[in-house]
Amino acid sequence: MESSPPAPRPGGVVGILAFAGIVAALTQTLVVPLIAELPKMFDTSASNASWVITATLLAAAVATPVAGRLGDMYGKRRMLLLSLAPLILGSVVCALSSSVVPMIAGRGLQGLGMGVVPLGISLLRDVVPAEKLGPSIAIMSASMGVGGALGLPFAAAVAENTSWRVLFWVVAALALAVGALILALVPGDRPAARSGSFDLLGAVGLGAALVCLLLAVSKGADWGWSSAATLSLFAAVAVLLPAWGRWELRRSDPLVDLRVTVRPQVLMTNTASVLVGFAMYAQSLVVPQLLQLPEATGYGLGQSMLAMGLWMAPAGLMMMAMSPVGAKLSAAKGPKVTLAVGSLLIAAGYGLSVPLIGSGSPWSLLVVTLVCNSGVGFAYGAMPALVMGAVPRSETASANSFNALMRSIGTSFAAAVIGVVLSRMTTDFGGFPLPSGNGFRAAMLIGCGVGLAAAAVAALIPVRPAAGLPGPAAVPGPAADAAKASRSTA
């Protein structure tokens, strides 16, 4: 086991790891207030500036499963610390950037650190007592919502009142503080798969397939869905993914153990994760636009960027507030039920939004986001519990990272689908096309349908009767391992 400090109280460990998740989520929302200004800031085209977003998405997709596998091999705490290094370096590069190319490079480096959340959740399995594991997972998962909630108004306020470079210096300082806290106070874990070798070719193959897929999905609307570039990328995915799958199945120490991922409990949870990721992200694309569009449209609310961020903030905080409720439900009924209930809440929030669009009050949209994010808080706490309840300890980080990747793929598809809907259903406003009220309603109905689909998938997840959290049958932890050992020697 790697050398580490004496363990503090479990609550302290969870708090530090949740802080790490908040910083990672803050990094992702950091540039949202800058999107419209990026072309002017760096004297470049809007198309080039969009790579500031895309670079982080692609780097995170490639790095997350790799960080998970390395965490299983060499220790999750160690990989947490290593993942913070590119996040800090990328933030510094962005803060010092004077043109778009180094800005894109810095954002790519930041994306390499996005494995922090699944690694942190996986580390909990090794350093938190089994009876506290369920609530700890829920809190850690909810940290992403808190980071997003705080990030938008913070970034908007800084962008409006001081230099945008301050945003990246603040993130660099926060990430450095997270690293110091983990190094000083979070205990190490025992690497469970040192005997295997790292599957470099598998990592390259999966990375190439993911880059092609996410690039096609995120850029298809700009390039044209029938363009040669988009179709070539989809064709590459059709070739690369099967080839990667065959390679993984032949290895004794694969990057992703596909035999584990096709276990019904893992497969169905990952399927639900794609749908939940889609449903979670769709409303975060629609509601900010409704808040900021001019009131003269009849459905816009004319809010400033800062006001929009403040209206969106309570929804992210709701994720954290609901996490202990979701953990109690998981303990009583099992995480499968929590995931289904969370998905239904998301669908209910979307359904509620349809008659409220055009109400003229930001309070109505606040209610919608509070309901949706309550469901997200339930679902995000349940999914890691379901995955960890079905995989061996030696693959905890890898399986969690793959689950996080599934959610990320869902958000990417949400951006593409909702983007197409809003770009096709427009209205003329002063000579400029804007998404129409019916376009927003259609987008929310899609989100509602996807939420219902996620609930249906969750209801079909086959789990053992004793799969509730906390408990050794659901998520094997130190206590469960000891119980198994005592039974085997009896």
Side-chain angles (χ1 to χ4, degrees), residues 84-442:
L84 289 169
L87 201 159
I88 296 168
L89 177 60
S91 300
V92 172
V93 170
C94 289
L96 297 175
S97 295
S98 56
S99 64
V100 73
V101 172
M103 184 68 161
I104 292 171
R107 288 289 292 168
L109 285 169
Q110 286 184 321
L112 294 178
M114 290 300 107
V116 164
V117 174
L119 281 169
I121 292 173
S122 302
L123 181 59
L124 291 173
R125 186 179 188 180
D126 295 313
V127 300
V128 172
E131 66 274 9
K132 297 183 179 294
L133 186 55
S136 300
I137 291 173
I139 291 172
M140 180 70 193
S141 299
S143 68
M144 294 180 286
V146 175
L150 299 177
L152 204 54
F154 165 72
V158 170
E160 288 181 2
N161 295 287
T162 187
S163 169
W164 58 268
R165 300 179 191 274
V166 172
L167 295 171
F168 295 99
W169 287 120
V170 168
V171 169
L174 290 175
L176 194 61
V178 168
L181 288 171
I182 292 174
L183 194 62
L185 298 174
V186 175
D189 55 303
R190 180 178 292 108
R194 277 191 191 275
S195 58
S197 60
F198 179 70
D199 182 12
L200 180 59
L201 187 57
V204 172
L206 179 60
L210 288 173
V211 167
C212 290
L213 174 63
L214 296 178
L215 198 55
V217 169
S218 61
K219 291 293 185 180
D222 294 334
W223 296 344
W225 293 107
S226 59
S227 68
T230 303
L231 294 177
S232 296
L233 287 170
F234 280 127
V237 174
V239 173
L240 287 170
L241 273 183
W244 172 77
R246 285 194 296 271
W247 170 260
E248 294 295 285
L249 288 171
R250 291 174 181 171
R251 285 187 62 90
S252 59
D253 51 357
L255 177 74
V256 178
D257 191 340
L258 295 180
R259 294 178 181 85
V260 171
T261 62
V262 296
R263 291 177 184 174
Q265 183 169 331
V266 180
L267 179 63
M268 297 292 282
T269 301
N270 283 334
T271 302
S273 298
V274 174
L275 297 172
V276 170
F278 186 111
M280 178 277 297
Y281 197 61
Q283 55 96 15
S284 67
L285 295 171
V286 171
V287 175
Q289 293 189 62
L290 287 171
L291 286 167
Q292 289 185 276
L293 284 173
E295 293 181 358
T297 60
Y299 46 86
L301 296 172
Q303 303 289 309
S304 67
M305 171 65 76
L306 178 58
M308 179 273 291
L310 292 172
W311 280 110
M312 295 290 292
L317 297 175
M318 180 63 76
M319 282 183 64
M320 183 66 77
M322 295 304 292
S323 64
V325 181
K328 289 180 180 179
L329 180 60
S330 291
K333 300 294 184 180
K336 167 184 172 176
V337 173
T338 307
L339 177 55
V341 170
S343 300
L344 288 174
L345 280 172
I346 295 171
Y350 277 110
L352 186 65
S353 72
V354 175
L356 293 179
I357 292 176
S359 66
S361 170
W363 290 99
S364 61
L365 293 181
L366 176 62
V367 171
V368 169
T369 57
L370 288 174
V371 175
C372 284
N373 277 41
S374 295
V376 173
F378 275 38
Y380 270 39
M383 289 184 292
L386 282 164
V387 169
M388 287 195 288
V391 302
R393 181 183 294 278
S394 60
E395 298 182 25
T396 302
S398 178
N400 261 332
S401 295
F402 194 74
N403 180 256
L405 176 62
M406 293 299 101
R407 295 199 301 269
S408 178
I409 289 174
T411 63
S412 299
F413 274 93
V417 172
I418 302 303
V420 168
V421 170
L422 296 183
S423 65
R424 294 295 177 88
M425 302 181 70
T426 61
T427 184
D428 182 81
F429 185 77
F432 295 95
L434 292 178
S436 66
N438 287 334
F440 285 118
R441 291 185 183 91

